[in-house]
């Protein structure tokens, strides 16, 4: 099979790759992805590159057993080529990625993490752990947890294009306000890296997992997702208990009515 020179007439793949400002390995990944589509089109007797061909190629990748993340890498490469060609009409949506499952973090393990952070004087990490487990704030929104939001007792943060309400319970609010005073933070994001930027996911994962060893918590549970899962499980458990209490109170109410207006009530 002859090597592929272009996907769209007048737009050589070589020229596209040369103008990319990226690492050599990234360029090789792009080349492999574009060649994959080229080979597929040749197997279709050099059919045109259109929306139907792209959908069929994406489906073929699924049938060949490629994982969604790998398919999305190939889609990104092709989309960037199409963007370079000005063919925005042909750009493809990415495959939705399955949410990775996180091990369940128990409340005792959560408390051990807090005690370990406190014992080591890691005030910021202590508050980060508590923030995720007490408020359920998304990890991507931690830069939006500001001094202003904490003073107000909560507010909205942006998450995946939507607004999400975050409530800061008074017990956590008091601790964060003490931290603000200690750090001299008056406004803006609270949880910052050494460079003064909002903490990133990599830094949070690293610090949490390092703490797990001292807290005797499995390292795979040292992540914000596990802490957010604990928040949701706690809220769900309280809600279920409330449902039981409400149902019990309602039945007692009905029983009280029955003693005064029941059909078989003794006159």
């Amino acid at each position: 099979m002859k090597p592929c020179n272009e996907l769209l007439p007048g737009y050589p793949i070589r020229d596209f790759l040369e103008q990319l400002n990226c690492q050599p390995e990234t360029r090789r990944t792009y080349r492999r992805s574009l060649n994959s589509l080229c080979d597929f089109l040749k197997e279709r007797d050099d059919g045109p590159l259109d929306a139907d061909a792209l959908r069929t190629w994406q489906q073929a990748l699924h049938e060949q057993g490629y994982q969604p993340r790998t398919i999305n890498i190939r889609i990104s490469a092709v989309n960037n080529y199409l963007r370079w060609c000005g063919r925005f009409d042909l750009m493809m949506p990415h495959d939705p990625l399955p949410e990775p499952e996180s091990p369940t973090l128990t409340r005792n393990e959560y408390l051990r993490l807090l005690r370990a952070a406190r014992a080591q004087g890691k005030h910021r990490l202590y508050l980060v752990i508590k923030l995720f487990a007490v408020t359920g704030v998304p990890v991507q929104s931690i830069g939006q947890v500001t001094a202003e939001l904490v003073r107000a007792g909560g507010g909205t943060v942006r998450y995946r294009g939507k607004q999400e309400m975050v409530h800061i319970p008074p017990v956590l609010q008091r601790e964060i306000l003490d931290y603000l005073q200690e750090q001299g933070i008056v406004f803006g994001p609270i949880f910052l890296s050494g460079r003064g930027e909002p903490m990133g996911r990599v830094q949070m994962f690293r610090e949490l997992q390092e703490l797990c060893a001292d807290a005797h918590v499995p390292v795979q549970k040292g992540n914000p997702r596990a802490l957010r899962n604990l928040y949701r499980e706690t809220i769900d458990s309280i809600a279920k208990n409330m449902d039981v209490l409400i149902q019990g109170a309602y039945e007692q109410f009905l029983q009280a009515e029955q003693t005064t207006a029941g059909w078989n009530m003794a006159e």
Side-chain angles (χ1 to χ4, degrees), residues 37 51 53-55 57-58 74-76 78-79 82 88-94:
L37 179 54
L54 290 169
R55 281 192 297 269
W57 173 64
Q58 188 171 355
R74 297 197 172 189
I75 288 174
S76 293
V78 173
N79 279 349
L82 294 171
F88 300 96
D89 57 306
L90 292 178
M91 291 175 63
M92 297 174 287
H94 287 78

Side-chain angles (χ1 to χ4, degrees), residues 8-138:
L8 290 172
Y11 295 95
I13 291 176
R14 183 187 62 253
D15 291 354
F16 165 70
L17 294 173
E18 287 177 353
Q19 59 84 41
L20 287 176
N21 183 19
C22 61
Q23 297 295 322
E25 179 56 37
T26 302
R27 188 173 286 106
R28 285 192 290 270
T29 299
Y30 270 58
R31 183 180 293 108
R32 285 194 297 268
S33 299
L34 295 172
N35 285 341
S36 167
L37 179 54
C38 279
D39 293 342
F40 174 78
L41 293 174
K42 288 178 181 179
E43 290 174 1
R44 298 176 82 235
D45 298 324
D46 285 319
L49 179 61
D50 54 21
D52 179 63
L54 290 169
R55 281 192 297 269
T56 306
W57 173 64
Q58 188 171 355
Q59 182 60 36
L61 293 175
H62 282 286
E63 293 171 355
Q64 293 168 25
Y66 287 99
Q67 295 298 312
R69 193 174 300 278
T70 301
I71 294 174
N72 283 342
I73 289 173
R74 297 197 172 189
I75 288 174
S76 293
V78 173
N79 279 349
N80 281 329
Y81 172 80
L82 294 171
R83 186 182 292 109
W84 179 69
C85 298
R87 293 300 304 270
F88 300 96
D89 57 306
L90 292 178
M91 291 175 63
M92 297 174 287
H94 287 78
D95 272 11
L97 294 175
E99 289 287 333
E101 294 184 6
S102 292
T104 301
L105 183 74
T106 68
R107 273 220 96 67
N108 281 336
E109 289 170 335
Y110 158 65
L111 293 174
R112 291 207 298 271
L113 286 172
L114 288 180
R115 286 194 290 266
R118 188 179 61 189
Q120 296 177 22
K122 296 180 177 179
H123 200 173
R124 181 187 61 186
L125 183 57
Y126 168 92
L127 290 175
V128 166
I129 292 169
K130 205 168 220 185
L131 180 74
F132 288 126
V134 170
T135 72
V137 65

Side-chain angles (χ1 to χ4, degrees), residues 247-262:
Q247 185 63 32
Y250 181 59
E251 291 176 1
Q252 289 179 6
F253 171 77
L254 295 178
Q255 186 61 43
E257 288 186 334
Q258 186 70 12
T259 61
T260 58

